[in-house]
Amino acid sequence: NRGQYAEAAAALREALRLKPDDVAARTRLGHVLVDQGKLPEAEICFRRVLRSEPNSAITYCHLAGVAQAQGRLDDAVTLYRTALELDPDLADAHNNLGTILKEQNALAEAIAHFQAALRVQPGHAAAHTNLGLVYDTQDRFEAAAECYRAATQADPRSLTARCNLGAMLQRQSHSEAALVSYQDALDINPDYVPALTGMSHVLQSEGRWTAAVACCERAIQVDPGNAEVCNNLGVAWSEQGRRDEAIAYFQRAIELNSGLAIAHGNLAVALQALGRLDEAIVEHRKAVELAPQNAGLHSNLLYSLNYHPGYDAQTIFREHRAWGQRHADPLTFQSLPHSNDRTPGRRLRVGYVSPHFLAHAVTFFTEPILATHDREQFEVFCYSDVALEDATTERLRSYADQWRNCVNLTDQQLADLVRRDKIDILVDLTGHISGGKRLLVFARRAAPIQVTYIGYQNTTGMLGIDYRLTDAYADPLGQTEAIHTEQLVRLPGTFFCYLPSSNAPNVGSLPASAAGHVTFGSFNNFAKITADVLRAWAAILSRTPRSKLLILGDMTDSLQVRLVESFERHGVGRERLELVHRVPRNKYLDCIQRVDIAFDPFPFNGHTTTCDCLWQGVPVVTLSGQTYVSRFGGSSHRTLKLEELIARTPEQYIEIASALAANVETLARLRGSLRDRMAASPLLDFQGFTGRLEAEYRRMWIKWCNA
């Protein structure tokens, strides 16, 4: 009992020398050998017991445990079944057999054995916990939570049950209750790593990053070789924009466990955020290789390819189709037909699916639509995947006829809910961003008509989505149809409308007038800032005496060094750069106010940043390419009749920016007129835009009715 196994074994062997037929001593010796990890010797011991007592159910159970510990699961199942034939009331045999059946995915039989164990021994904590784990895999969350609660009542010191309960409560968005459950485990054992890790997950979901970091750091102190903990700490640092620290911990996690797919995926995202695209894509591909059925990791790879200038449109399309064929199309082929009422002119139910119904860039383009839908013709449903709601969420909720919080629903459950709601047109607002959040709902053909819009800058690559909304500038007729699985629907005029921030500052005077020099600015996701972009910016600065460049981003130490070195190689000194770490939106708008000309990156254009700059009177120089990802930024320019700011080549991009910087009068005129021009344009005609969008919805519907 004190763990002195060698001495215990010696004493038991001496007992057996004195009395070779002592079954109790031989059984006890078998247990000691198991404790020592000497499983073959333990098996010999138990089999000798069976020679003396051939109908000993408990001995068969002991033998099964040895076989299970050795990974001989089929032998273990046979031995447990024999034990239960001899004694159906062996609770441990039912429980242990159930664990093997669960691993073999024989879930119904596993449940039956866990329930049998509990009939025999209602206070069997392990059986309650294991039954909860099976319910968890079946997405029966309430039932699982009840099992974990029963386990904690049966064994108040069960750390596993408390942590499982915490995880289940978190999945049900009961964050405070989850924290209590994890804290209960830590009260029993302050160094229990699963509880520290679980608590960090809850804190991260609530945006309490400092506390989350503290939990992760404590867990690493306890178990420095734990790859999952290192990965979790990397996530906490990454969410705070501290990408260098995040990268270090993701790399440490991979050193500890090179097969941890999520660590490779997270490292890729962090590298991508710093513009290290080649390295990021290598890590994305490794994550997909390690977890080929993980659709989210695969989506992250697709998203990263859009940023890289070295991948042509056909290659990127093939990668998207590979995703669709692997993850989505098999579900589409299994989907059932829809029974929606095919009356062409009736009121339609339109559902919007998004994890971004909160203060997020996409909201500047979706809120005007939600607010101005014709409620006589359309009933609006919002399927929200927002775990941490904010004031924007509440405002958006007020626009919806029906609001569905689907954070805790699986893709299948959400697809079933959409079908029960009898949605006619279901609209995806995310695509492959955020790990392809909810694309597999669309793969299940949750609605008869399915559309992707605004959130993602490319095809989904899947057969389950019928249409993609765009315009004739972003996707010129006949130019990009072949690289889409969806039918392109070109909205008249422009593919979007834009809602400026309510707290946007007034347009100020031209900064160059007071400073005596032009200030350029970049406010985009730094993943879009490629070597070609930096080279072009350096050329513009070289042509524009005394000019400066403000760059906003996750300004880690490594990124600042890389930027300074890059510009110095092109003859631009550090004193001409202002590198600003990311700031809240109101301060971001203040930064825009300080520049005279904004740079749009290429080949991946900006969108929200472009609209924000134009609203603040700052002209944006953009480079238009051949596909949507390199053209959608220029759609606003076309709408506002600012075609003179659209370049066709990098050389022209440099020429346009340099010439504009040399003409302060033109800059001043643009500064004073752009906001009024936007306000009077289709970009801010919310009612008109939504009416045109609704007309397309109706055409889609009539086509389906007539099919």
Side-chain angles (χ1 to χ4, degrees):
N1 287 339
R2 294 195 306 195
Q4 296 169 237
Y5 300 130
E7 295 167 70
L12 289 164
R13 286 193 172 96
E14 179 63 11
L16 288 168
R17 188 187 67 78
L18 296 169
K19 189 178 181 183
D21 58 350
D22 189 333
V23 170
R26 196 169 298 281
T27 299
R28 186 60 186 156
L29 176 58
H31 289 308
V32 172
L33 292 168
V34 169
D35 290 335
Q36 288 182 296
K38 297 179 178 180
L39 299 179
E41 294 178 53
E43 182 173 358
I44 292 170
C45 209
F46 290 134
R47 289 198 180 279
R48 288 192 64 179
V49 171
L50 276 183
R51 287 206 293 269
S52 300
E53 296 183 353
N55 293 320
S56 171
I58 191 65
T59 304
Y60 276 105
C61 189
H62 297 330
L63 274 171
V66 171
Q68 186 174 359
Q70 291 176 308
R72 294 159 41 213
L73 299 185
D74 290 341
D75 290 346
V77 167
T78 300
L79 291 163
Y80 281 130
R81 292 193 193 284
T82 302
L84 290 169
E85 287 172 5
L86 293 167
D87 184 355
D89 290 338
L90 279 178
D92 284 344
H94 281 296
N95 177 65
N96 295 343
L97 176 56
T99 62
I100 297 175
L101 294 169
K102 174 180 174 293
E103 289 181 33
Q104 295 176 335
N105 207 36
L107 300 184
E109 193 178 358
I111 289 172
H113 281 287
F114 293 137
Q115 291 173 335
L118 292 170
R119 281 195 298 272
V120 175
Q121 188 178 331
H124 199 298
H128 281 298
T129 298
N130 289 327
L131 181 57
L133 290 170
V134 176
Y135 288 151
D136 192 348
T137 64
Q138 296 178 321
D139 301 322
R140 298 165 62 181
F141 300 143
E142 290 292 344
E146 285 307 308
C147 287
Y148 298 142
R149 288 190 183 95
T152 61
Q153 292 169 0
D155 181 5
R157 297 189 65 81
S158 173
L159 298 174
T160 300
R162 292 192 182 281
C163 284
N164 288 348
L165 177 59
M168 187 54 56
L169 290 167
Q170 183 187 356
R171 291 175 69 176
Q172 295 174 299
S173 297
H174 302 315
S175 297
E176 290 307 314
L179 288 174
V180 169
S181 189
Y182 288 126
Q183 187 58 56
D184 287 344
L186 292 171
D187 289 343
I188 298 169
N189 180 358
D191 293 336
Y192 192 55
V193 169
L196 290 165
T197 301
M199 183 173 282
S200 76
H201 286 313
V202 178
L203 294 168
Q204 287 178 31
S205 72
E206 294 192 325
R208 295 159 64 178
W209 301 110
T210 301
V213 166
C215 277
C216 291
E217 289 181 331
R218 175 61 187 151
I220 286 177
Q221 288 175 357
V222 175
D223 187 2
N226 190 313
E228 288 80 4
V229 172
C230 290
N231 176 68
N232 292 339
L233 182 53
V235 171
W237 283 131
S238 195
E239 288 295 332
Q240 296 176 79
R242 295 177 62 172
R243 308 285 185 181
D244 287 347
E245 291 94 331
I247 287 169
Y249 277 102
F250 293 141
Q251 290 172 332
R252 175 60 179 154
I254 292 167
E255 288 173 6
L256 293 167
N257 180 1
S258 61
L260 188 60
I262 190 63
H264 287 280
N266 288 334
L267 174 58
V269 171
L271 291 167
Q272 182 175 314
L274 297 182
R276 296 163 61 178
L277 296 180
D278 289 330
E279 299 167 80
I281 289 172
V282 168
E283 293 298 331
H284 279 308
R285 292 197 186 283
K286 184 64 177 178
V288 173
E289 176 190 330
L290 291 169
Q293 298 309 312
N294 188 313
L297 292 175
H298 201 168
S299 284
N300 289 341
L301 167 63
L302 301 184
Y303 187 34
S304 71
L305 297 178
N306 291 292
Y307 292 102
H308 201 295
Y311 289 83
D312 62 58
Q314 282 295 335
T315 299
I316 294 175
F317 175 65
R318 285 195 296 271
E319 296 265 9
H320 281 72
R321 275 304 291 138
W323 182 95
Q325 290 165 342
R326 178 181 301 177
H327 304 290
D329 296 351
L331 296 170
T332 302
F333 297 145
Q334 297 167 17
S335 62
L336 298 174
H338 297 85
S339 58
N340 299 47
D341 173 10
R342 290 179 182 255
T343 303
R346 68 171 175 82
R347 188 187 189 203
L348 298 180
R349 291 188 168 192
V350 178
Y352 292 95
V353 182
S354 177
H356 299 139
F357 288 134
L358 73 170
H360 186 274
V362 173
T363 304
F364 295 110
F365 309 103
T366 56
E367 181 171 351
I369 298 169
L370 297 176
T372 57
H373 261 305
D374 181 347
R375 291 304 194 270
E376 291 186 4
Q377 293 296 316
F378 295 88
E379 185 177 3
V380 176
F381 287 66
C382 287
Y383 296 91
S384 171
D385 247 325
V386 178
L388 194 60
E389 298 183 342
D390 60 13
T392 301
T393 309
E394 289 305 308
R395 190 169 67 249
L396 297 175
R397 194 194 311 270
S398 71
Y399 301 138
D401 296 293
Q402 301 291 336
W403 185 272
R404 305 284 192 246
N405 187 316
C406 53
V407 170
N408 300 317
L409 300 183
T410 65
D411 288 334
Q412 184 63 60
Q413 289 171 333
L414 179 52
D416 292 342
L417 174 60
V418 171
R419 280 182 176 262
R420 288 197 301 274
D421 285 338
K422 295 189 179 299
I423 297 300
D424 301 305
I425 301 173
L426 191 66
V427 185
D428 157 57
L429 299 174
T430 313
H432 287 286
I433 296 175
S434 301
K437 194 77 170 178
R438 297 306 191 180
L439 281 181
L440 297 186
V441 171
F442 289 79
R444 290 170 166 85
R445 294 294 312 186
I449 298 169
Q450 302 196 136
V451 181
T452 185
Y453 175 55
I454 205 72
Y456 186 56
Q457 297 77 16
N458 211 321
T459 181
T460 61
M462 55 192 283
L463 301 180
I465 293 185
D466 308 291
Y467 302 101
R468 180 171 167 273
L469 299 177
T470 182
D471 66 31
Y473 177 82
D475 280 293
L477 188 65
Q479 187 166 305
T480 58
E481 284 86 348
I483 53 174
H484 284 85
T485 52
E486 308 85 5
Q487 179 181 336
L488 295 179
V489 173
R490 295 172 176 86
L491 296 172
T494 175
F495 74 89
F496 71 95
C497 56
Y498 162 74
L499 177 65
S501 293
S502 59
N503 62 347
N506 293 327
V507 176
S509 59
L510 188 70
S513 298
H517 62 79
V518 167
T519 301
F520 299 103
S522 166
F523 306 96
N524 293 91
N525 176 349
F526 203 84
K528 300 179 180 182
I529 314 304
T530 65
D532 290 340
V533 171
L534 292 175
R535 193 158 34 247
W537 291 355
I540 294 165
L541 288 170
S542 296
R543 292 192 188 190
T544 310
R546 300 178 58 217
S547 61
K548 295 192 174 183
L549 172 60
L550 184 156
I551 303 177
L552 183 69
D554 287 338
M555 285 300 160
T556 66
D557 291 343
S558 69
L559 179 55
Q560 292 186 62
V561 169
R562 188 154 53 90
L563 280 171
V564 170
E565 289 178 347
S566 175
F567 278 98
E568 286 180 341
R569 280 197 301 272
H570 293 98
V572 177
R574 172 69 178 87
E575 72 281 358
R576 298 179 67 184
L577 303 176
E578 183 177 355
L579 308 180
V580 181
H581 191 60
R582 64 177 176 178
V583 292
R585 182 164 177 82
N586 62 326
K587 293 185 177 179
Y588 149 81
L589 293 173
D590 289 339
C591 284
I592 292 176
Q593 284 282 85
R594 294 174 49 210
V595 308
D596 301 287
I597 301 170
F599 290 145
D600 194 25
F602 53 87
F604 198 137
N605 291 169
H607 191 204
T608 311
T609 51
T610 294
C611 292
D612 291 340
C613 288
L614 294 172
W615 186 250
Q616 294 305 133
V618 179
V620 182
V621 179
T622 187
L623 173 58
S624 181
Q626 298 300 307
T627 59
Y628 180 89
V629 74
S630 60
R631 295 181 66 87
F632 76 111
S635 183
S636 55
H637 289 60
R638 193 280 306 267
T639 302
L640 297 173
K641 296 181 169 44
L642 293 170
E643 286 91 344
E644 69 274 14
L645 299 178
I646 303 176
R648 297 291 184 266
T649 65
E651 293 74 24
Q652 192 178 14
Y653 181 96
I654 295 167
E655 290 290 341
I656 291 172
S658 302
L660 189 59
N663 194 333
V664 176
E665 290 183 3
T666 299
L667 285 176
R669 176 177 55 78
L670 286 170
R671 188 124 184 147
S673 65
L674 277 176
R675 180 170 289 192
D676 289 341
R677 189 186 298 197
M678 285 189 77
S681 78
L683 298 183
L684 271 75
D685 176 14
F686 306 147
Q687 198 80 47
F689 177 84
T690 304
R692 292 187 290 275
L693 174 65
E694 290 171 340
E696 293 299 336
Y697 285 164
R698 182 65 65 179
R699 274 189 277 273
M700 295 173 190
W701 175 248
I702 292 171
K703 181 179 179 181
W704 184 79
C705 290
N706 293 333

